[in-house]
Amino acid sequence: MAAQPPTEELNKLSVSEPAAGAGKPGPDTATATNGNLNQDNDDSDDDAEDAAGAAGATGAAKKKKKRKPKKKKKNPTAQSDPPRVLISQLFPNNTYPKGEEVEYVNENRYRTTSEEKRHLDNINSEFLTDYRHAAEAHRQVRHWAQKNIKPGQKLIDIAEGVESSVRALVGHEGLEEGDCLKAGMGFPLGLSINHCAAHYNPNAGNKIVLQEDDVMKVDIGVHVNGRIVDSAFTMAFNPRYDPLLAAVKAATDAGIREAGIDARVGEIGGVIQEVMESYEMELNGVTYPIKSIRNLNGHNILPYSIHGTKSVPIVKSNDQTKMEEGDVFAIETFGSTGLGVVRDDGEISHYALRGDAPKAELRLSSAKSLLNVIKKNFGTLPWARRYLDRLGQEKYLLGLNNLVSNGIVEAYPPLVDKKGSYTAQYEHTILIRPTVKEVISRGDDY
Ligand code: HZT
Ligand code: MN
Ligand code: MN
């Protein structure tokens, strides 16, 4: 509850329509009558009108003032700014907007109408609901982020703004025991700037301020019951980077188009690379080819596990692995004006308990107790150092490093191309359903 503004404060926040696009509430979801949300928002409307009427009225007119019949409570169509209204209240009856449904092509065309496949599809399954719930939170948080993130802001403030919005919209502040496991951040927010392509999150005390000429990858993971939506976009304030962003957006869309049942991941990588590398960008009179970053990949996603065993390359490869019915993939591509290859560099913020952690006896007591905190709060979900800070953990670095050297916790260092280069990323999560592929995180923005 600490991060939640008190009710009074919440009602003072300005109110905006929910993010549009795939997330537009339909007539039988968010626009349906529901008396239990934002009653005070409605009332304050009435109060404002009443106050205006009273101020303008004098003498006899004031005496005869008749009370308007109480309006029926309006629907909870409004998200607050910053976003703090539960997605489950904006979309009652456990019905969340679908992502973009794309029909299969060629030998899989029959699936969309197949009786058997429709049966398998189980449209009302819990897991689809959880994914759509998480995806709607993702769209609303990023809509706010895209409008509000500006040069001059500290990275740490940007991170706290996005992270508290995610936690508020799915309803778990994550401070009570096991809360983070129900819903919240699916992995640490990525705020990776310029030649840093991925896995940067400001640790406590970070002083970095976003600059006008920066290119920032914003990678947000939202989970509901372990169903992780992994989706990222790139922000730039100088239009000189437009071709870089366009290249990566087109490459990711090409990857999504190529994905499907029996699609071979190596071939998808080839198509992504073709699209990506058809672009170039001019900077200060120099023309740079846009390269696919060859050692970054998309990946499948399992419950409570951000990467499964399948990778989706973003350059041509001989990997014959096929996508299958029921798989969930993060299709992500990265373009660069640099070498097109990344290496580990800089202070680590991202960590996760290893699924295959050895059961060795820990000799360091600080490592032992930290491990218990990690298991209870994050399970196998990745987390950032600041997520330990907010749970009240202190002076844990020795214990943490010990867990990493014992192979119990995996560290994910920032991934950087060469200094002075610029990198961009776009990413969506897609469900390979029996009848269609659903681009669960699609919005009207990307
Ligand atoms: C690892 C740790 C995290 C997964 C991709 C990714 C952000 O590069 C197989 C393919 C969060 C995510 C991940 F804390 N990684 N997507 N979004 N990062 S990855 C990977 O480690 S493993 C790609
Ligand atoms: Mn991601
Ligand atoms: Mn990913």
Side-chain angles (χ1 to χ4, degrees):
M1 282 307 283
Q4 186 98 4
T7 313
E8 257 172 275
E9 279 304 306
L10 188 62
N11 291 329
K12 274 187 250 160
L13 299 170
S14 64
V15 166
S16 65
E17 291 302 306
K24 252 204 178 83
D28 46 0
T29 56
T31 51
T33 302
N34 177 326
N36 68 7
L37 175 78
N38 282 355
Q39 299 195 355
D40 293 4
N41 277 348
D42 271 21
D43 285 352
S44 64
D45 267 358
D46 293 336
D47 293 348
E49 288 164 34
D50 292 352
T58 50
K62 199 171 189 171
K63 233 179 358 196
K64 285 213 83 176
K65 181 191 180 259
K66 56 172 187 251
R67 200 103 210 140
K68 275 187 297 175
K70 195 96 183 137
K71 271 191 239 157
K72 235 199 235 165
K73 295 296 177 196
K74 265 187 288 177
N75 267 345
T77 50
Q79 182 52 273
S80 62
D81 182 1
R84 293 293 181 269
V85 180
L86 285 170
I87 299 300
S88 62
Q89 293 198 322
L90 295 175
F91 296 89
N93 313 319
N94 248 296
T95 308
Y96 300 100
K98 287 179 177 180
E100 178 196 22
E101 292 184 324
V102 183
E103 290 186 5
Y104 292 122
V105 294
N106 304 330
E107 60 279 12
N108 286 311
R109 279 184 66 89
Y110 76 96
R111 287 174 165 274
T112 309
T113 51
S114 157
E115 190 66 38
E116 185 208 338
K117 297 304 177 192
R118 289 160 77 91
H119 178 74
L120 279 170
D121 204 20
N122 199 354
I123 220 106
N124 298 315
S125 64
E126 195 76 20
F127 102 97
L128 254 186
T129 301
D130 290 341
Y131 264 121
R132 288 174 181 168
H133 184 169
E136 182 58 22
H138 196 290
R139 279 187 290 272
Q140 294 197 16
V141 171
R142 80 200 196 210
H143 178 84
W144 178 82
Q146 289 160 2
K147 204 170 48 159
N148 289 283
I149 295 175
K150 293 276 157 54
Q153 295 171 346
K154 286 165 124 181
L155 234 42
I156 207 125
D157 295 334
I158 295 171
E160 284 175 3
V162 173
E163 291 160 357
S164 18
S165 298
V166 168
R167 292 178 182 122
L169 295 208
V170 294
H172 292 274
E173 291 304 308
L175 289 175
E176 278 143 61
E177 204 174 288
D179 227 24
C180 296
L181 289 169
K182 295 175 189 149
M185 295 297 296
F187 55 80
L189 171 67
L191 293 177
S192 307
I193 294 176
N194 300 340
H195 69 298
C196 180
H199 297 172
Y200 191 94
N201 181 283
N203 289 327
N206 187 300
K207 292 282 184 296
I208 294 177
V209 171
L210 185 61
Q211 302 296 306
E212 191 71 39
D213 286 341
D214 281 349
V215 176
M216 182 166 70
K217 281 66 66 181
V218 180
D219 196 338
I220 310 176
V222 183
H223 91 91
V224 172
N225 293 320
R227 304 300 177 161
I228 309 166
V229 170
D230 178 5
S231 178
F233 56 95
T234 300
M235 295 183 79
F237 308 92
N238 186 328
R240 69 186 188 174
Y241 303 112
D242 287 356
L244 172 64
L245 273 58
V248 183
K249 201 184 260 200
T252 295
D253 280 335
I256 293 167
R257 218 179 306 119
E258 294 301 310
I261 291 165
D262 295 335
R264 290 180 199 277
V265 298
E267 289 175 23
I268 297 174
V271 174
I272 288 170
Q273 183 175 23
E274 279 299 312
V275 172
M276 184 82 77
E277 299 187 353
S278 70
Y279 288 77
E280 55 185 32
M281 184 176 84
E282 198 191 301
L283 256 185
N284 306 318
V286 184
T287 301
Y288 296 88
I290 307 298
K291 297 176 184 163
S292 254
I293 300 184
R294 64 177 185 259
N295 56 345
L296 289 176
N297 300 99
H299 50 95
N300 67 327
I301 301 175
L302 299 171
Y304 291 105
S305 177
I306 185 60
H307 58 87
T309 51
K310 297 182 184 180
S311 283
V312 184
I314 63 174
V315 293
K316 188 179 159 57
S317 122
N318 293 322
D319 190 334
Q320 302 287 313
T321 307
K322 285 176 172 176
M323 292 184 168
E324 296 168 278
E325 186 174 306
D327 282 350
V328 176
F329 279 96
I331 302 294
E332 59 189 300
T333 80
F334 293 84
S336 177
T337 61
L339 299 170
V341 59
V342 289
R343 60 188 168 82
D344 296 352
D345 187 45
E347 188 172 277
I348 299 166
S349 55
H350 289 42
Y351 300 87
L353 189 64
R354 296 179 63 122
D356 58 355
K359 261 195 89 54
E361 272 300 310
L362 287 166
R363 311 179 75 242
L364 197 66
S365 72
S366 62
K368 236 188 237 177
S369 68
L370 181 65
L371 180 57
N372 283 324
V373 170
I374 292 164
K375 282 182 174 168
K376 266 210 295 268
N377 287 280
F378 310 115
T380 53
L381 290 171
W383 36 273
R385 280 194 207 173
R386 274 185 307 101
Y387 304 178
L388 287 175
D389 300 341
R390 68 190 284 282
L391 294 174
Q393 294 298 304
E394 288 178 290
K395 304 184 182 135
Y396 51 73
L397 269 185
L398 183 71
L400 178 53
N401 289 332
N402 184 260
L403 292 173
V404 172
S405 29
N406 281 293
I408 294 165
V409 164
E410 177 147 15
Y412 294 87
L415 298 167
V416 306
D417 199 327
K418 80 166 179 208
K419 207 164 173 220
S421 68
Y422 294 96
T423 64
Q425 174 199 23
Y426 280 92
E427 175 175 30
H428 276 298
T429 294
I430 67 172
L431 311 188
I432 308 295
R433 287 169 47 196
T435 53
V436 288
K437 70 184 157 195
E438 183 166 348
V439 187
I440 205 87
S441 48
R442 183 71 81 191
D444 61 3
D445 49 352
Y446 70 92

